[in-house]
Amino acid sequence: MPSEKLVPYEFEIYEHGNPDNGYNLTQLQAHDTAFSQNHFLDLVENMLKSNQETNLEPASNDKTFVIEEFHRDGNVIEGIVSTGYHGYEAEIRHVDSGNMTHLKGEDEAEQMPLYFLIYLPQTQEGKPYDNGQTALIILHQVNRIGVKGKLKKHIEQSCLSGVTDYTLKMEPVTTEKVLEKVLEADRIAKLDINVRKIPGDDESKMSLVKGLKTEEVGTQSVVLRPEHGGSFDWLKNQAGRLKENEKHFGEIVSDDVENFSVTIQKDGGGSETFSLLNEEIAMRKDLDTDDLHTASGLITADSLRAEVNKLANDILNQQIVEPLTGTTNVKR
């Protein structure tokens, strides 16, 4: 089964060079009369309508971007966009027999359907949340295939055409600080340290912790794993000290280290890997196909919408924001 996840992004538009002057996404023309519509979702809806079922990328681009279907419901737009690569031949083979079933040509692309939802949150009183300055965009990813860059580009080209002196921000939503993740982990499974130079055979060059084993991966990585009876309790202790002193792991790592990631074991058996050089972690929701409905090998739009609702409501303060509810109006 493929790996599927949901990744949330915060979407904002603000005056260029002045991030404190965020645009009200429900009153855009008050900031710049060049906007063709006053409401951000009206702009997006018009873009989707005019380009539905048409490849939005020129033939010279090696990745397609097709709006398959979408639905607008008040302050929510959801839909299916498909994407795929072309420009090369590839044999399609049956996984059991090994026989080739199709030869993909240079002008053909394997289209991956991906769910998306764009949401302008409202307060419990029915007013735009955060003065209308923030939209939440949640994108479906399959394996490493996603459409964040393409979607952002088309919003900018189509919805902000003619608008000047602005900055568009579409950044991943971040969640708990790294220190809290480490402290709350049920178990730490491994440390993966990317360095500029791999240590030699002389293990005295490395400060190893008793009960750990070392292995090299590729040419730039050293992995530490607990052996039988070993643990990473020292890492939790270090995280506790850093939290007390309001510091983070990035302040104590040598300049020779390019990245320093940890894999933690979570309640229920799931795992998560993130960098210890960042203070915050980009939020994502890994989806378990065993617990959700699937069709043709992928999670259905109905199940994805239900998971999107949960994710959005986890992100937003439910004492302030009206919960995101409802079922999907698009199918795959």
Side-chain angles (χ1 to χ4, degrees):
M1 283 294 215
S3 170
E4 300 188 53
K5 62 177 64 69
L6 296 171
V7 184
Y9 298 89
E10 290 180 327
F11 180 94
E12 301 173 8
I13 303 171
Y14 55 84
E15 181 184 0
H16 183 66
N18 185 13
D20 292 332
N21 185 16
Y23 289 9
N24 184 334
L25 298 176
T26 68
Q27 301 291 330
L28 289 170
Q29 291 172 340
H31 301 280
D32 193 324
T33 56
F35 282 102
S36 60
Q37 298 284 339
N38 208 25
H39 199 290
F40 172 62
L41 291 188
D42 290 338
L43 290 169
V44 174
E45 185 175 11
N46 287 345
M47 177 194 78
L48 298 175
K49 281 181 179 177
S50 61
N51 294 293
Q52 191 169 3
E53 297 182 358
T54 300
N55 181 22
L56 303 190
E57 298 300 315
S60 59
N61 196 310
D62 64 354
K63 190 176 182 182
T64 60
F65 185 87
V66 181
I67 307 298
E68 301 289 355
E69 58 175 318
F70 72 93
H71 180 83
R72 168 84 180 270
D73 184 9
N75 60 337
V76 173
I77 293 178
E78 62 175 341
I80 304 292
V81 61
S82 68
T83 188
Y85 290 94
H86 62 90
Y88 59 91
E89 287 189 356
E91 294 181 353
I92 310 298
R93 292 183 175 272
H94 194 282
V95 294
D96 291 328
S97 68
N99 296 330
M100 186 176 74
T101 58
H102 177 69
L103 178 65
K104 185 187 85 66
E106 293 183 31
D107 297 327
E108 294 180 303
E110 178 190 37
Q111 291 296 109
M112 176 67 71
L114 299 171
Y115 179 87
F116 69 90
L117 183 138
I118 304 174
Y119 173 45
L120 266 174
Q122 292 184 332
T123 65
Q124 297 284 357
E125 293 76 29
K127 297 179 180 180
Y129 168 70
D130 191 28
N131 296 317
Q133 295 179 19
T134 303
L136 186 63
I137 299 179
I138 300 181
L139 302 180
H140 177 210
Q141 287 187 7
V142 177
N143 295 333
R144 295 184 178 272
I145 302 172
V147 293
K148 185 254 185 176
K150 295 290 186 185
L151 180 63
K152 180 181 177 182
K153 185 192 80 171
H154 287 294
I155 288 175
E156 191 156 20
Q157 289 182 342
S158 299
C159 300
L160 282 75
S161 177
V163 181
T164 58
D165 297 325
Y166 72 89
T167 295
L168 184 156
K169 183 179 178 181
M170 185 173 166
E171 299 293 339
V173 175
T174 55
T175 183
E176 304 128 303
K177 290 187 176 181
V178 165
L179 295 177
E180 294 171 359
K181 283 277 191 180
V182 173
L183 289 170
E184 295 171 4
D186 290 338
R187 187 175 72 88
I188 298 175
K190 70 174 182 177
L191 297 177
D192 192 345
I193 308 172
N194 286 91
V195 293
R196 295 192 182 99
K197 183 180 179 181
I198 290 290
D201 294 333
D202 183 5
E203 288 194 353
S204 65
K205 294 180 181 180
M206 292 187 64
S207 176
L208 296 180
V209 178
K210 185 179 179 180
L212 301 184
K213 62 180 179 178
T214 307
E215 60 185 90
E216 292 187 12
V217 180
T219 59
Q220 290 278 309
S221 186
V222 175
V223 176
L224 303 179
R225 301 175 187 270
E227 290 184 325
H228 179 68
S231 75
F232 282 112
D233 286 343
W234 59 273
L235 185 66
K236 286 196 173 189
N237 293 336
Q238 181 66 57
R241 288 195 294 269
L242 292 172
K243 186 174 182 179
E244 288 178 5
N245 297 323
E246 297 184 348
K247 295 182 178 181
H248 55 86
F249 279 104
E251 297 180 28
I252 64 169
V253 176
S254 164
D255 290 339
D256 292 333
V257 175
E258 294 183 341
N259 195 15
F260 183 17
S261 64
V262 58
T263 298
I264 63 172
Q265 200 79 28
K266 299 186 292 184
D267 186 28
S271 64
E272 182 178 358
T273 300
F274 51 85
S275 174
L276 292 177
L277 299 188
N278 300 322
E279 289 189 71
E280 293 185 329
I281 306 160
M283 195 171 189
R284 70 181 188 185
K285 185 178 182 68
D286 295 315
L287 302 173
D288 189 347
T289 53
D290 292 337
D291 298 332
L292 302 171
H293 294 110
T294 60
S296 302
L298 296 173
I299 297 171
T300 64
D302 285 334
S303 287
L304 289 171
R305 175 58 191 269
E307 294 301 309
V308 163
N309 289 350
K310 295 176 188 175
L311 179 57
N313 294 333
D314 283 343
I315 293 170
L316 299 166
N317 187 337
Q318 292 303 290
Q319 294 183 335
I320 300 173
V321 179
E322 180 182 329
L324 179 64
T325 58
T327 57
T328 188
N329 292 281
V330 295
K331 303 296 179 185
R332 205 169 47 194

Coordinates of all heavy atoms in Angstrom, one line a residue, residues 77-133:
I77 N -13.6 25.2 0.1 CA -13.5 24.7 -1.2 C -12.7 23.4 -1.1 O -11.7 23.4 -0.5 CB -12.8 25.6 -2.2 CG1 -13.6 26.9 -2.5 CG2 -12.5 24.9 -3.5 CD1 -13.0 27.9 -3.4
E78 N -13.3 22.3 -1.6 CA -12.5 21.0 -1.7 C -12.5 20.5 -3.1 O -13.4 20.9 -3.9 CB -13.2 20.0 -0.7 CG -14.6 19.6 -1.1 CD -15.2 18.6 -0.2 OE1 -14.4 17.8 0.4 OE2 -16.4 18.4 -0.2
G79 N -11.6 19.6 -3.4 CA -11.6 19.1 -4.7 C -10.5 18.0 -4.9 O -9.9 17.6 -4.0
I80 N -10.4 17.6 -6.2 CA -9.4 16.6 -6.5 C -8.6 17.2 -7.7 O -9.1 17.7 -8.7 CB -10.1 15.3 -7.1 CG1 -11.0 14.7 -6.0 CG2 -9.0 14.3 -7.5 CD1 -10.4 14.2 -4.8
V81 N -7.3 17.2 -7.5 CA -6.3 17.6 -8.5 C -5.4 16.4 -8.8 O -5.1 15.7 -7.9 CB -5.5 18.8 -8.1 CG1 -4.7 18.5 -6.8 CG2 -4.6 19.3 -9.2
S82 N -5.1 16.2 -10.1 CA -4.2 15.1 -10.4 C -2.9 15.6 -11.0 O -2.9 16.7 -11.6 CB -4.9 14.1 -11.4 OG -5.1 14.7 -12.7
T83 N -1.9 14.9 -10.8 CA -0.6 15.3 -11.2 C 0.2 14.1 -11.6 O 0.0 13.0 -11.1 CB 0.1 16.1 -10.1 OG1 1.3 16.7 -10.6 CG2 0.5 15.3 -8.9
G84 N 1.2 14.3 -12.5 CA 2.0 13.2 -12.9 C 3.2 13.7 -13.8 O 3.1 14.8 -14.3
Y85 N 4.2 12.9 -14.0 CA 5.3 13.3 -14.8 C 5.3 12.7 -16.2 O 4.7 11.6 -16.4 CB 6.6 12.8 -14.1 CG 6.9 13.5 -12.8 CD1 6.5 13.0 -11.5 CD2 7.6 14.7 -12.8 CE1 6.8 13.6 -10.4 CE2 7.9 15.4 -11.6 CZ 7.5 14.8 -10.4 OH 7.7 15.5 -9.2
H86 N 5.8 13.4 -17.1 CA 5.9 13.0 -18.5 C 7.3 13.4 -19.0 O 8.1 14.0 -18.3 CB 4.8 13.5 -19.3 CG 4.8 15.0 -19.4 ND1 5.4 15.7 -20.4 CD2 4.2 15.9 -18.7 CE1 5.2 17.0 -20.3 NE2 4.5 17.2 -19.2
G87 N 7.5 13.1 -20.3 CA 8.8 13.4 -20.9 C 9.8 12.3 -21.0 O 10.9 12.4 -21.4
Y88 N 9.3 11.1 -20.6 CA 10.2 9.9 -20.7 C 9.4 8.7 -20.9 O 8.2 8.6 -20.6 CB 11.0 9.7 -19.4 CG 10.2 9.6 -18.2 CD1 9.8 8.3 -17.7 CD2 9.8 10.7 -17.5 CE1 9.0 8.2 -16.6 CE2 9.0 10.6 -16.4 CZ 8.6 9.4 -15.9 OH 7.8 9.2 -14.8
E89 N 10.0 7.6 -21.5 CA 9.3 6.3 -21.6 C 9.5 5.5 -20.4 O 10.5 5.6 -19.7 CB 9.8 5.5 -22.8 CG 9.4 6.1 -24.2 CD 9.8 5.1 -25.3 OE1 10.4 4.1 -25.0 OE2 9.4 5.4 -26.4
A90 N 8.5 4.6 -20.0 CA 8.6 3.8 -18.9 C 7.7 2.5 -19.1 O 6.6 2.6 -19.7 CB 8.1 4.5 -17.6
E91 N 8.3 1.4 -18.8 CA 7.6 0.1 -18.9 C 6.7 -0.1 -17.7 O 7.1 0.1 -16.5 CB 8.5 -1.1 -19.0 CG 9.4 -1.1 -20.2 CD 10.3 -2.3 -20.3 OE1 10.3 -3.0 -19.3 OE2 10.9 -2.5 -21.3
I92 N 5.4 -0.4 -17.9 CA 4.4 -0.7 -16.8 C 4.3 -2.2 -16.8 O 3.9 -2.8 -17.8 CB 3.1 -0.1 -17.1 CG1 3.2 1.4 -17.4 CG2 2.1 -0.3 -15.9 CD1 3.8 2.3 -16.3
R93 N 4.7 -2.8 -15.7 CA 4.7 -4.2 -15.5 C 3.8 -4.7 -14.4 O 3.6 -4.0 -13.5 CB 6.2 -4.7 -15.2 CG 7.1 -4.5 -16.4 CD 8.5 -5.1 -16.1 NE 9.4 -5.0 -17.2 CZ 9.5 -5.9 -18.2 NH1 8.7 -7.0 -18.1 NH2 10.3 -5.8 -19.2
H94 N 3.2 -5.9 -14.6 CA 2.4 -6.5 -13.6 C 3.3 -7.0 -12.5 O 4.3 -7.7 -12.7 CB 1.6 -7.7 -14.2 CG 0.5 -8.2 -13.4 ND1 0.8 -9.0 -12.3 CD2 -0.8 -8.0 -13.4 CE1 -0.4 -9.3 -11.7 NE2 -1.4 -8.7 -12.4
V95 N 2.9 -6.7 -11.3 CA 3.8 -7.0 -10.1 C 3.9 -8.5 -9.8 O 4.9 -8.9 -9.2 CB 3.4 -6.2 -8.9 CG1 3.5 -4.7 -9.0 CG2 1.9 -6.6 -8.5
D96 N 2.9 -9.3 -10.2 CA 3.0 -10.7 -10.0 C 3.7 -11.5 -11.1 O 4.6 -12.2 -10.8 CB 1.6 -11.3 -9.8 CG 0.9 -10.8 -8.5 OD1 1.7 -10.6 -7.5 OD2 -0.3 -10.6 -8.5
S97 N 3.3 -11.2 -12.3 CA 3.9 -12.0 -13.4 C 5.2 -11.4 -13.9 O 6.0 -12.1 -14.5 CB 2.9 -12.0 -14.6 OG 2.7 -10.8 -15.1
G98 N 5.3 -10.1 -13.7 CA 6.5 -9.4 -14.3 C 6.4 -9.0 -15.7 O 7.3 -8.4 -16.3
N99 N 5.2 -9.4 -16.3 CA 5.0 -9.1 -17.7 C 4.7 -7.6 -17.9 O 4.0 -7.0 -17.1 CB 3.9 -9.9 -18.3 CG 4.2 -11.4 -18.3 OD1 5.3 -11.8 -18.4 ND2 3.1 -12.2 -18.1
M100 N 5.2 -7.0 -19.0 CA 4.9 -5.6 -19.3 C 3.5 -5.5 -19.8 O 3.0 -6.2 -20.7 CB 5.8 -5.1 -20.4 CG 5.7 -3.6 -20.6 SD 6.9 -2.9 -21.8 CE 6.2 -3.6 -23.4
T101 N 2.7 -4.6 -19.2 CA 1.3 -4.4 -19.6 C 1.1 -3.2 -20.5 O 0.1 -3.0 -21.2 CB 0.4 -4.3 -18.4 OG1 0.8 -3.2 -17.6 CG2 0.4 -5.6 -17.6
H102 N 2.1 -2.2 -20.4 CA 1.9 -1.0 -21.2 C 3.3 -0.3 -21.2 O 4.1 -0.4 -20.3 CB 0.9 -0.1 -20.5 CG 0.8 1.3 -21.2 ND1 0.2 1.4 -22.5 CD2 1.1 2.5 -20.9 CE1 0.2 2.6 -22.8 NE2 0.8 3.4 -21.9
L103 N 3.6 0.3 -22.4 CA 4.8 1.1 -22.5 C 4.3 2.6 -22.5 O 3.7 3.1 -23.4 CB 5.5 0.8 -23.8 CG 6.8 1.7 -24.0 CD1 7.8 1.4 -22.9 CD2 7.4 1.4 -25.4
K104 N 4.6 3.3 -21.4 CA 4.3 4.7 -21.3 C 5.2 5.5 -22.2 O 6.4 5.4 -22.1 CB 4.4 5.2 -19.8 CG 4.0 6.6 -19.6 CD 4.3 7.1 -18.2 CE 5.7 7.6 -18.1 NZ 5.9 8.8 -18.9
G105 N 4.6 6.3 -23.0 CA 5.3 7.1 -23.9 C 5.8 8.4 -23.3 O 5.4 8.8 -22.2
E106 N 6.6 9.2 -24.0 CA 7.1 10.4 -23.5 C 6.0 11.5 -23.3 O 6.1 12.3 -22.4 CB 8.2 11.0 -24.5 CG 9.4 10.2 -24.6 CD 10.4 10.8 -25.5 OE1 10.5 12.1 -25.6 OE2 11.2 10.1 -26.2
D107 N 4.9 11.3 -24.1 CA 3.9 12.3 -24.0 C 2.7 11.8 -23.1 O 1.6 12.4 -23.1 CB 3.3 12.6 -25.4 CG 4.3 13.3 -26.3 OD1 5.2 14.0 -25.7 OD2 4.3 13.1 -27.5
E108 N 3.0 10.8 -22.3 CA 2.0 10.3 -21.4 C 2.4 10.5 -19.9 O 3.6 10.5 -19.7 CB 1.7 8.8 -21.6 CG 1.1 8.5 -23.0 CD 0.9 7.0 -23.2 OE1 1.9 6.2 -23.1 OE2 -0.3 6.6 -23.4
A109 N 1.4 10.6 -19.0 CA 1.7 10.8 -17.6 C 0.8 10.0 -16.8 O -0.4 9.9 -17.1 CB 1.6 12.3 -17.2
E110 N 1.4 9.3 -15.8 CA 0.6 8.6 -14.8 C 0.0 9.6 -13.9 O 0.7 10.2 -13.1 CB 1.5 7.6 -14.1 CG 0.7 6.8 -13.0 CD 1.7 6.0 -12.1 OE1 2.8 6.5 -11.8 OE2 1.3 4.9 -11.8
Q111 N -1.3 9.8 -13.9 CA -2.0 10.8 -13.1 C -2.3 10.3 -11.7 O -3.1 9.3 -11.6 CB -3.2 11.3 -13.8 CG -3.0 12.1 -15.1 CD -2.2 13.4 -14.8 OE1 -1.0 13.5 -15.2 NE2 -2.9 14.3 -14.2
M112 N -1.8 11.0 -10.7 CA -2.1 10.6 -9.3 C -3.2 11.6 -8.8 O -3.0 12.8 -8.7 CB -0.9 10.7 -8.4 CG -1.1 10.5 -7.0 SD -1.6 8.7 -6.6 CE -0.1 7.9 -7.0
P113 N -4.4 11.1 -8.4 CA -5.5 12.0 -7.9 C -5.2 12.3 -6.4 O -5.0 11.4 -5.6 CB -6.7 11.1 -8.0 CG -6.3 9.7 -7.9 CD -4.9 9.7 -8.5
L114 N -5.2 13.6 -6.1 CA -4.9 14.1 -4.7 C -6.0 15.0 -4.3 O -6.4 15.9 -5.0 CB -3.6 14.8 -4.7 CG -2.4 14.0 -5.2 CD1 -1.1 14.9 -5.3 CD2 -2.1 12.9 -4.2
Y115 N -6.5 14.8 -3.1 CA -7.5 15.6 -2.5 C -6.9 16.9 -1.9 O -5.8 16.9 -1.4 CB -8.2 14.8 -1.3 CG -9.3 15.5 -0.6 CD1 -10.6 15.5 -1.0 CD2 -9.0 16.2 0.6 CE1 -11.6 16.1 -0.4 CE2 -10.0 16.9 1.3 CZ -11.3 16.8 0.8 OH -12.3 17.5 1.5
F116 N -7.7 18.0 -1.9 CA -7.3 19.2 -1.3 C -8.5 19.9 -0.7 O -9.7 19.7 -1.1 CB -6.6 20.2 -2.3 CG -7.5 20.8 -3.3 CD1 -8.2 22.0 -3.1 CD2 -7.7 20.1 -4.6 CE1 -9.0 22.5 -4.1 CE2 -8.6 20.7 -5.5 CZ -9.2 21.9 -5.3
L117 N -8.3 20.7 0.3 CA -9.3 21.5 1.0 C -8.7 22.9 1.3 O -7.7 23.0 1.9 CB -9.9 20.8 2.2 CG -11.0 21.6 2.9 CD1 -12.1 20.6 3.3 CD2 -10.5 22.3 4.1
I118 N -9.5 24.0 1.0 CA -9.1 25.3 1.3 C -10.2 25.9 2.2 O -11.4 25.9 1.8 CB -8.9 26.2 0.0 CG1 -7.9 25.5 -0.9 CG2 -8.5 27.6 0.4 CD1 -7.7 26.2 -2.2
Y119 N -9.8 26.4 3.3 CA -10.8 26.7 4.4 C -10.5 28.1 5.0 O -9.3 28.3 5.4 CB -10.7 25.6 5.4 CG -11.4 25.8 6.7 CD1 -12.8 26.2 6.7 CD2 -10.8 25.5 7.9 CE1 -13.5 26.3 7.9 CE2 -11.5 25.6 9.1 CZ -12.8 26.0 9.1 OH -13.5 26.1 10.3
L120 N -11.5 29.0 5.0 CA -11.3 30.2 5.7 C -12.1 30.1 7.0 O -13.3 30.2 7.0 CB -11.9 31.4 4.9 CG -10.9 32.1 4.0 CD1 -11.7 33.1 3.1 CD2 -9.9 32.9 4.9
P121 N -11.4 29.9 8.1 CA -12.1 29.6 9.4 C -13.0 30.8 9.8 O -12.7 32.0 9.5 CB -11.0 29.4 10.4 CG -9.8 29.1 9.5 CD -10.0 29.9 8.3
Q122 N -14.0 30.5 10.5 CA -14.9 31.5 11.1 C -15.0 31.3 12.6 O -14.8 30.2 13.1 CB -16.3 31.4 10.5 CG -16.4 31.8 9.1 CD -17.8 31.8 8.5 OE1 -18.6 31.0 9.0 NE2 -18.1 32.6 7.5
T123 N -15.2 32.4 13.4 CA -15.3 32.3 14.8 C -16.7 31.7 15.2 O -17.6 31.6 14.3 CB -15.2 33.7 15.4 OG1 -16.3 34.5 15.0 CG2 -13.9 34.3 15.0
Q124 N -16.9 31.4 16.4 CA -18.2 30.9 16.9 C -19.3 31.9 16.6 O -20.5 31.5 16.5 CB -18.1 30.6 18.4 CG -17.1 29.5 18.8 CD -17.6 28.1 18.5 OE1 -18.7 27.9 18.0 NE2 -16.8 27.1 18.7
E125 N -18.9 33.2 16.5 CA -19.9 34.3 16.2 C -20.2 34.4 14.8 O -21.0 35.3 14.4 CB -19.5 35.6 16.9 CG -19.4 35.6 18.4 CD -18.2 34.9 18.9 OE1 -17.2 34.8 18.2 OE2 -18.3 34.3 20.1
G126 N -19.5 33.7 13.9 CA -19.7 33.7 12.5 C -18.9 34.8 11.8 O -19.1 35.1 10.6
K127 N -17.8 35.3 12.4 CA -17.0 36.3 11.8 C -15.7 35.7 11.3 O -15.3 34.6 11.9 CB -16.7 37.4 12.8 CG -17.9 38.2 13.3 CD -17.5 39.3 14.3 CE -18.7 40.1 14.7 NZ -18.4 41.1 15.7
P128 N -15.0 36.3 10.4 CA -13.7 35.7 9.9 C -12.7 35.6 11.1 O -12.5 36.5 11.8 CB -13.2 36.7 8.8 CG -14.4 37.3 8.4 CD -15.3 37.4 9.6
Y129 N -12.1 34.4 11.2 CA -11.1 34.2 12.2 C -9.8 34.9 11.9 O -9.4 35.1 10.8 CB -10.8 32.7 12.3 CG -9.6 32.3 13.2 CD1 -9.6 32.4 14.5 CD2 -8.5 31.8 12.5 CE1 -8.5 32.1 15.3 CE2 -7.4 31.4 13.3 CZ -7.4 31.6 14.7 OH -6.3 31.2 15.4
D130 N -9.2 35.5 12.9 CA -7.9 36.2 12.8 C -8.1 37.4 11.9 O -7.2 37.6 11.0 CB -6.8 35.2 12.3 CG -5.4 35.8 12.4 OD1 -5.2 36.7 13.2 OD2 -4.6 35.4 11.5
N131 N -9.2 38.0 12.0 CA -9.5 39.2 11.1 C -9.4 38.8 9.6 O -9.1 39.7 8.7 CB -8.5 40.4 11.4 CG -8.7 40.9 12.8 OD1 -9.8 41.1 13.2 ND2 -7.6 41.2 13.4
G132 N -9.7 37.6 9.3 CA -9.7 37.1 7.9 C -8.3 37.0 7.3 O -8.2 36.8 6.1
Q133 N -7.3 37.1 8.1 CA -5.9 37.1 7.5 C -5.3 35.7 7.2 O -4.3 35.7 6.6 CB -5.0 37.9 8.5 CG -5.4 39.4 8.6 CD -4.5 40.1 9.6 OE1 -3.4 39.7 9.9 NE2 -5.0 41.2 10.0

